[in-house]
Amino acid sequence: MCFLCILRETLLREEVLKRFKPIFYPKSIAVVGALRDPNSFGARAIKTVIDLGYPGKLYPINPKVDGILGLKVYPSVTQVPGPIEFATICVPAHAVPKIMEECVEKGVKAVHIYSAGFSETGTQEGRKLEEDVVEIAKKGDIRVIGPNCEGIYCPESKVSTFSGSSGDVGSVGFFSQSGGHAMNLLIQARVLEICFSKVVSYGNACDLDGADFLEYFAEDPKSNIIAMYIEGVKDGRRFFDLLKNIARKKPTLIFKGGVSKAGARAAESHTGALAGSSAIWDAVFKQTGAVKVSSRDELANTLLVFLHQLRPSNRKVAFINAGGGNSVFAADTLEQAGLEVPTLLPNTIKELRQFIPIPGTSLKNPLDLHRYIIHIDRVIRIVAKDSRFGAIIVALYPDFMLTYTAEVKDFRDITRGIIRAKKSLDIPLTATIRTERVGLTGEIERLKAQDRLIKAGIPVFSSILMAAKAIANAVGYQEFLEKSLNK
């Protein structure tokens, strides 16, 4: 690449990062609409940044309140003594334009509007309110997130408008038109030990939209993986061009809402988004290499694969579990997800039969070990000798195993065996754990096993279906990259 090209890219990157700095790394924050009610959004937003240890200036704004959580409350944005970089607005929709005027006067650089009641209502009044907000923001060169959204979360700077933010810094940049999906993914991710660099819920996207956040996360050195939930985009060409370049450099996962007619109608009433046809989006995925996921569960589980840097070399998988019916279901599920489940080689079966008898077991693939799953570490090592496999999946059922197969100590030994086996493997090893919640012991052991496996670097999927889809997604991404390199 020529020097001028490198310089141009560097300047562009710096400009993009600078544009979003007041959003993710503000030196001062105002919360407009701060109330004493601990369940109000304003109070929760203030408490969240306090709990995270935000080091900057925090200014609650409310003309009817004197103090909240030990902080002085100011009657208006303009009466705050110091500068304000970022403001969160949580007042009724009709009052937002006035607050925006005050933000312009104060020199606020970025605003998050939590309030709903704008274009998503489908009413002329709502659309007019949103148009007024945009025009006012332009006068002060203010960037706007929202309205009708949860806002931002940046654990590195200890800034968050999401309640219950953990503060753990990760490498996933996630943006979502849905506040619910953003909040629920944060909760789900905590269980799976997925941590984020930044999270954005941007709702109606009256100013900043998906393409803007995609461009930012592409340049953000803290975000190695990009994930998104989108219902529609304002500038399809810009979004496509960005995606085409970015997905080759960083894994980019898209959960697209509104792919059906009914879903498109729901999206329009939810955030005012025009969803676009499923055929168009299928072409986008095919041409850009972005990873398509169809649910929040699939998004979370696919993130696990990329975070653990699992790179299955092909679509062939070995599936190991205890249960004949589960084996049949697993084989169907894996193949329907686009994976292959080839029969074990005769030499592999012969070696396994030296310590696993024929009655009650099956070693074709999927492997049904029944009570002999206690030998899981040895089984995994033998199966892994077969270079045809791109990945190995082990399914654990604590309720079944503790009832029919093993004691608690034995079940724990099974998970430790999986961990021991991983240390000598060159191919990805994953697990699924499911309980029917018929007993407290089984659920407790599930949680303990999941914790042990994840800490050992073995991703644990919520179901066989999610494991199958996540691995298939990872293989598909690898295939796209290889195909792109060969062009």
Side-chain angles (χ1 to χ4, degrees):
M1 184 179 292
C2 69
F3 172 76
L4 288 178
C5 295
I6 295 174
L7 179 61
R8 192 181 301 113
E9 284 195 2
T10 301
L11 292 174
L12 175 63
R13 180 180 303 111
E14 290 177 354
E15 192 278 327
V16 171
L17 295 177
K18 181 181 178 181
R19 191 191 317 154
F20 281 83
K21 192 173 182 180
I23 295 173
F24 294 117
Y25 300 93
K27 295 177 182 177
S28 51
I29 300 173
V31 180
V32 185
L35 300 174
R36 287 197 182 96
D37 179 1
N39 293 318
S40 68
F41 180 86
R44 287 187 283 117
I46 293 169
K47 185 176 187 303
T48 296
V49 292
I50 291 175
D51 290 346
L52 286 175
Y54 173 64
K57 298 290 185 179
L58 182 59
Y59 302 111
I61 310 294
N62 193 318
K64 299 180 181 179
V65 177
D66 295 326
I68 181 172
L69 297 173
L71 297 172
K72 179 180 177 179
V73 179
Y74 295 87
S76 71
V77 169
T78 55
Q79 294 184 50
V80 170
I84 299 172
E85 286 197 339
F86 181 81
T88 288
I89 299 175
C90 41
V91 298
H94 66 82
V96 172
K98 180 178 181 297
I99 303 300
M100 287 295 298
E101 293 281 7
E102 293 180 357
C103 287
V104 171
E105 182 180 345
K106 184 64 180 175
V108 175
K109 296 178 180 178
V111 164
H112 153 233
I113 303 175
Y114 171 77
S115 317
F118 295 87
S119 64
E120 83 283 355
T121 64
T123 65
Q124 183 60 37
E125 180 185 6
R127 285 191 289 269
K128 179 65 167 58
L129 273 174
E130 193 165 305
E131 290 169 1
D132 290 344
V133 166
V134 172
E135 290 304 312
I136 296 168
K138 286 179 180 177
K139 290 192 296 185
D141 197 24
I142 298 175
R143 302 317 304 260
V144 180
I145 301 172
N148 180 33
C149 67
E150 292 292 329
I152 65 161
Y153 168 44
C154 179
E156 183 184 25
S157 62
K158 304 184 186 305
V159 172
S160 180
T161 55
F162 287 85
S163 300
S165 306
S166 68
D168 297 322
V169 181
S171 59
V172 178
F174 176 60
F175 58 93
S176 170
Q177 273 185 278
S178 164
H181 277 314
M183 292 182 69
N184 288 327
L185 183 65
L186 279 171
I187 295 169
Q188 189 174 7
R190 195 178 305 169
V191 176
L192 298 173
E193 297 198 10
I194 297 171
C195 298
F196 298 87
S197 57
K198 297 165 182 77
V199 176
V200 184
S201 156
Y202 62 98
N204 294 10
C206 76
D207 176 29
L208 295 169
D209 78 338
D212 295 301
F213 295 112
L214 179 59
E215 183 178 41
Y216 173 78
F217 284 127
E219 303 298 345
D220 179 24
K222 307 292 184 179
S223 304
N224 298 326
I225 302 169
I226 302 172
M228 69 189 84
Y229 168 79
I230 55 175
E231 293 173 356
V233 293
K234 291 190 292 187
D235 187 340
R237 171 50 62 180
R238 179 184 174 217
F239 186 87
F240 175 80
D241 289 342
L242 285 167
L243 193 61
K244 194 172 183 179
N245 291 321
I246 294 165
R248 287 174 167 83
K249 301 173 184 177
K250 295 184 179 183
T252 304
L253 286 56
I254 302 179
F255 174 18
K256 176 65 178 68
V259 294
S260 67
K261 289 182 179 180
R265 289 197 304 272
E268 190 170 4
S269 62
H270 178 214
T271 59
L274 297 176
S277 73
S278 58
I280 290 174
W281 279 96
D282 285 343
V284 168
F285 287 112
K286 184 177 181 179
Q287 294 178 45
T288 64
V291 179
K292 177 183 178 181
V293 299
S294 301
S295 67
R296 194 180 68 248
D297 282 345
E298 186 179 350
L299 176 61
N301 283 275
T302 302
L303 281 173
L304 275 180
V305 175
F306 286 105
L307 280 170
H308 285 270
Q309 298 185 350
L310 301 184
R311 295 183 176 87
S313 58
N314 59 67
R315 294 181 175 271
K316 296 180 175 64
V317 296
F319 186 87
I320 304 170
N321 82 135
N326 291 328
S327 295
V328 175
F329 170 76
D332 289 342
T333 302
L334 292 165
E335 289 204 347
Q336 288 167 5
L339 300 175
E340 300 173 26
V341 192
T343 302
L344 294 186
L345 296 173
N347 287 342
T348 304
I349 295 175
K350 183 179 179 180
E351 190 172 355
L352 291 170
R353 283 297 180 205
Q354 292 178 8
F355 58 96
I356 298 176
I358 294 176
T361 65
S362 174
L363 300 181
K364 292 180 179 180
N365 192 28
L367 287 77
D368 171 15
L369 304 181
H370 198 55
R371 65 173 58 90
Y372 301 99
I373 198 167
I374 195 71
H375 302 298
I376 187 65
D377 55 340
R378 192 175 172 187
V379 172
I380 291 172
R381 290 193 194 98
I382 292 171
V383 171
K385 293 178 184 178
D386 188 340
S387 60
R388 296 176 303 159
F389 292 119
I392 296 175
I393 305 171
V394 180
L396 301 177
Y397 307 92
D399 289 328
F400 169 79
M401 293 174 179
L402 292 173
T403 303
Y404 299 104
T405 307
E407 300 295 330
V408 168
K409 175 182 176 298
D410 295 330
F411 178 72
R412 292 176 182 174
D413 283 342
I414 291 169
T415 60
R416 293 188 183 103
I418 296 171
I419 294 169
R420 286 194 301 272
K422 178 187 180 296
K423 296 176 182 178
S424 61
L425 295 189
D426 293 326
I427 64 173
L429 175 63
T430 68
T432 70
I433 307 178
R434 176 177 173 175
T435 61
E436 303 301 334
R437 289 178 169 79
V438 295
L440 182 59
T441 300
E443 182 61 10
I444 290 172
E445 290 305 314
R446 180 190 72 81
L447 293 171
K448 289 181 177 179
Q450 177 173 292
D451 187 59
R452 283 194 294 271
L453 292 168
I454 290 175
K455 281 182 167 55
I458 301 171
V460 178
F461 298 106
S462 57
S463 67
I464 296 171
L465 176 62
M466 287 300 106
K469 287 188 172 183
I471 292 172
N473 287 339
V475 176
Y477 182 68
Q478 289 294 118
E479 291 172 346
F480 176 83
L481 292 181
E482 291 169 6
K483 185 178 179 181
S484 298
L485 289 173
N486 294 328
K487 282 185 176 180

